[in-house]
Amino acid sequence: MQLTNTLTMKKEELVPHQPGVIKMYTCGPTVYSYAHIGNLRSYLMEDVLEKALRYEGFQVDRAMNITDVGHLTSDADTGEDKMLKGARREHKSVLELAAFYTNAFFADCEKLNIRRPDTVVPATGCIGDFIQLVSALLDKGFAYQAGGNVYFDTSKLTDYYVFGNQNAEDLAVGVREGVELDGNKRNKTDFVLWFTKSKFEDQELKWESPWGLGYPGWHIECSAISIKNLGEYLDIHCGGIDNAFPHHTNEIAQSEAYLGHPWCKYWFHVLHLNDGGGKISKSKGAKLTVSLLEEKGYNPLVYRLFCLQSHYRKPLVFSFDSLDNAASAYHKLTARVAALAKDGEPDQEAAKPWQEKFQASLANDLNTSLALTALYDMLKSDLSDATKRFLVGDFDRVLSLDLLQAAEKQNAQEPQVPEELAREIEALIEKRAQARKAKDWAAADAIRDELAARHVVLKDTPAGVQWHIEG
RNA sequence: GGUGACAUAGCCAAGCGGUAAGGCAAAGGUCUGCAAAACCUUCAUUCCCCGGUUCAAAUCCGGGUGUCACCUCCA
């Protein structure tokens, strides 16, 4: 497996610290609101990565945090905890809010066939670990106390900017509106490890610590949770590209300062989903959630296919036109799978080259677009239907588009219709057949239109009329 | 202002020095009373622009232009 490593910006062969086992960490959601489909693009592509690694035969140990405390709207004095803000808005306690949106997040993931990581840990469940890590950083001289908070001292590092070639002089603090300088910081890039600031008195969740009653900074949780659950050597750290700086940069700073050796070798960043103007999270108007897609009549897996057609390292522009495009492609694809005969035994030998082709596509920096091409080419090939069905199921271990299940559903759609309705439809079809016999095309077409209005699609075949209900 | 990425047909998109995959849409055909569905066929002499390296460049180098992102909300 070759992946583009953000640390080097090059495609590198993935060599895990422990042969055959991949330790993979994912920055989880801050559960203060519903995830939008841009957030979910990252989790979706990380899911594909995990499954592609398993397909290659790796064992994958994966952990993810749930940020339910400490993620401020800003790191400076004016910062407000996102969870607290959300709780106020919805008249819930912070923990109720977290539980609600954690469930909503995983419900969305399930609809997109995103596998839940083996280990999912809420930040509030690991406060002791954070305190231990912060204490160690203070002991080692990588942290200092000021104004009631504990800060990480970035000047103690020889190379703080691991992603790209930035330097402190050029770092413009406060370019963004609402961001203010924190006078307690010795260096512009220092960041908070533990807050006790009185400004946050209304913070609901606080814990005792050696530095007073307070709560952890945002960056510390990922380091602590990752090290605790996956060990001192991490193979792949995933997340959206916006997290590269400062979140991941800070994670590396504190983790390596704490461990005293290199921590994570490969950084896997998913680029953003944009709309015409810019990234989705900045869009105005209705928030693009999975539920919204469903309300508009899209199968969430259509969005999965849409993402798979593109590459994780490229910005992807979302539009409903493009989604319609994917919906059409999804429908055609499943119809094709549904048409495959079910009897016969797959020919494992003949299947092998196709599996290799599919795997090679994924091994090439997770080129899902090429992997889909392998699927299309395979369906076009002269393999037996049984072998094709076998390969569709095999590929779907990674693609997770429910290709066989959707095909099943298409085949089984008729019996799902209530008997009464079915009789009614059959009667109309019979009436249309009479009209057609009498060459009364106007009447026949009127019946077809009526059925179409009720989402009944007719299919005239030499063997007779077939029908199914769409949507 | 600094940093980074990207630019390929109507749209999405692959391509990683050897002569432009795939999907959607569209057009023509088979089938049909007409449709729909299905199947067959067609669809980039050219890859943002200008130079350079090379026998050979969408691919490498230099310079432009444009788009997007990051620089303490974000996935």
Side-chain angles (χ1 to χ4, degrees):
Chain A
M1 170 71 74
Q2 291 204 332
L3 290 174
T4 299
N5 187 353
T6 311
L7 279 177
T8 58
M9 283 311 294
K10 286 194 182 103
K11 262 202 280 191
E12 292 175 12
E13 184 64 36
L14 182 69
V15 183
H17 188 257
Q18 181 187 342
V21 182
I22 303 283
K23 304 277 185 185
M24 180 169 166
Y25 184 83
T26 301
C27 284
T30 304
V31 283
Y32 64 105
S33 179
Y34 289 108
H36 56 72
I37 60 172
N39 301 131
L40 289 161
R41 183 193 185 196
S42 290
Y43 298 107
L44 205 153
M45 296 317 291
E46 288 155 11
D47 178 67
V48 175
L49 172 63
E50 177 188 344
K51 287 170 177 167
L53 290 167
R54 290 184 195 275
Y55 191 90
E56 269 204 18
F58 285 109
Q59 181 194 319
V60 182
D61 291 344
R62 185 169 171 204
M64 182 170 98
N65 68 303
I66 298 286
T67 301
D68 53 1
V69 68
H71 198 166
L72 305 186
T73 54
S74 154
D75 225 14
D77 280 355
T78 50
E80 200 177 350
D81 188 292
K82 297 175 97 170
M83 293 299 297
L84 188 66
K85 203 174 165 186
R88 270 209 212 102
R89 180 188 67 221
E90 303 191 9
H91 307 290
K92 287 181 176 144
S93 76
V94 165
L95 285 179
E96 282 166 355
L97 185 83
F100 180 83
Y101 285 113
T102 302
N103 288 337
F105 173 74
F106 284 115
D108 284 344
C109 286
E110 205 174 312
K111 286 175 190 162
L112 292 168
N113 278 344
I114 296 169
R115 184 182 179 275
R116 191 184 172 114
D118 310 285
T119 308
V120 175
V121 184
T124 48
C126 301
I127 302 299
D129 301 294
F130 306 155
I131 290 174
Q132 192 203 328
L133 215 160
V134 175
S135 302
L137 288 173
L138 277 165
D139 290 346
K140 291 179 183 228
F142 283 105
Y144 59 92
Q145 295 187 62
N149 296 336
V150 182
Y151 293 86
F152 188 91
D153 186 349
T154 52
S155 69
K156 291 286 190 304
L157 302 173
T158 46
D159 187 17
Y160 171 69
Y161 291 99
V162 286
F163 301 113
N165 294 312
Q166 299 172 76
N167 61 73
E169 288 72 45
D170 294 330
L171 187 74
V173 175
V175 244
R176 216 172 55 209
E177 219 174 303
V179 172
E180 289 174 27
L181 277 164
D182 181 344
N184 295 324
K185 290 182 181 179
R186 292 182 192 164
N187 312 289
K188 275 198 257 193
T189 48
D190 291 355
F191 53 93
V192 179
L193 297 167
W194 189 267
F195 288 100
T196 65
K197 271 303 260 285
S198 57
K199 272 237 162 104
F200 302 105
E201 254 165 20
D202 50 358
Q203 172 79 4
E204 264 180 62
L205 298 174
K206 288 187 205 174
W207 293 265
E208 275 304 336
S209 80
W211 319 286
L213 194 64
Y215 59 100
W218 176 40
H219 312 295
I220 199 75
E221 60 172 290
C222 287
S223 292
I225 291 173
S226 168
I227 291 168
K228 183 183 180 186
N229 292 284
L230 298 172
E232 289 194 7
Y233 293 92
L234 187 62
D235 295 306
I236 307 177
H237 194 306
C238 315
I241 187 64
D242 55 287
N243 277 154
F245 186 86
H247 183 51
H248 292 161
T249 306
N250 290 347
E251 273 187 59
I252 293 171
Q254 66 200 6
S255 296
E256 301 198 343
Y258 170 73
L259 295 169
H261 62 69
W263 171 49
C264 178
K265 204 162 160 192
Y266 305 94
W267 289 80
F268 178 88
H269 287 122
V270 179
L271 270 78
H272 281 146
L273 184 73
N274 300 320
D275 63 12
K279 58 185 186 173
I280 291 280
S281 58
K282 279 183 178 161
S283 311
K284 305 274 187 298
K287 190 170 183 181
L288 280 163
T289 58
V290 172
S291 307
L292 183 76
L293 296 187
E294 285 181 310
E295 274 165 35
K296 288 185 181 266
Y298 294 97
N299 179 342
L301 293 180
V302 164
Y303 176 66
R304 187 170 175 113
L305 178 63
F306 172 72
C307 291
L308 257 34
Q309 282 175 324
S310 172
H311 192 252
Y312 76 92
R313 264 278 164 197
K314 274 192 173 179
L316 180 58
V317 177
F318 177 86
S319 70
F320 280 103
D321 279 350
S322 293
L323 197 65
D324 286 339
N325 182 327
S328 184
Y330 185 70
H331 181 76
K332 283 193 175 186
L333 188 58
T334 50
R336 218 152 152 183
V337 173
L340 295 172
K342 283 220 197 80
D343 44 354
E345 283 300 310
D347 180 347
Q348 302 286 349
E349 272 311 301
K352 220 171 229 163
W354 290 101
Q355 290 174 303
E356 281 162 14
K357 187 175 174 188
F358 180 73
Q359 188 181 317
S361 308
L362 295 170
N364 180 10
D365 199 18
L366 209 67
N367 195 324
T368 47
S369 175
L370 274 182
L372 283 172
T373 300
L375 173 69
Y376 278 107
D377 288 347
M378 183 276 287
L379 285 170
K380 264 191 285 191
S381 74
D382 54 6
L383 291 170
S384 72
D385 278 12
T387 309
K388 286 183 186 174
R389 280 186 66 83
F390 163 74
L391 283 170
V392 168
D394 186 60
F395 292 0
D396 213 36
R397 284 161 50 204
V398 178
L399 303 176
S400 299
L401 291 167
D402 282 356
L403 294 174
L404 290 175
Q405 294 89 321
E408 242 10 88
K409 237 195 231 163
Q410 260 174 31
N411 285 335
Q413 223 144 26
E414 223 169 322
Q416 283 174 347
V417 178
E419 212 175 303
E420 202 176 305
L421 180 64
R423 256 202 303 267
E424 198 184 319
I425 291 168
E426 298 282 1
L428 279 170
I429 289 173
E430 178 52 33
K431 217 168 130 191
R432 172 170 173 264
Q434 300 282 342
R436 290 179 72 197
K437 218 172 204 174
K439 294 198 191 295
D440 184 355
W441 309 125
D445 289 351
I447 293 170
R448 187 169 64 197
D449 288 347
E450 189 191 332
L451 287 169
R454 295 164 69 174
H455 303 288
V456 178
V457 180
L458 299 185
K459 202 165 157 184
D460 291 322
T461 72
V465 182
Q466 289 178 6
W467 62 274
H468 71 272
I469 293 182
E470 208 141 71

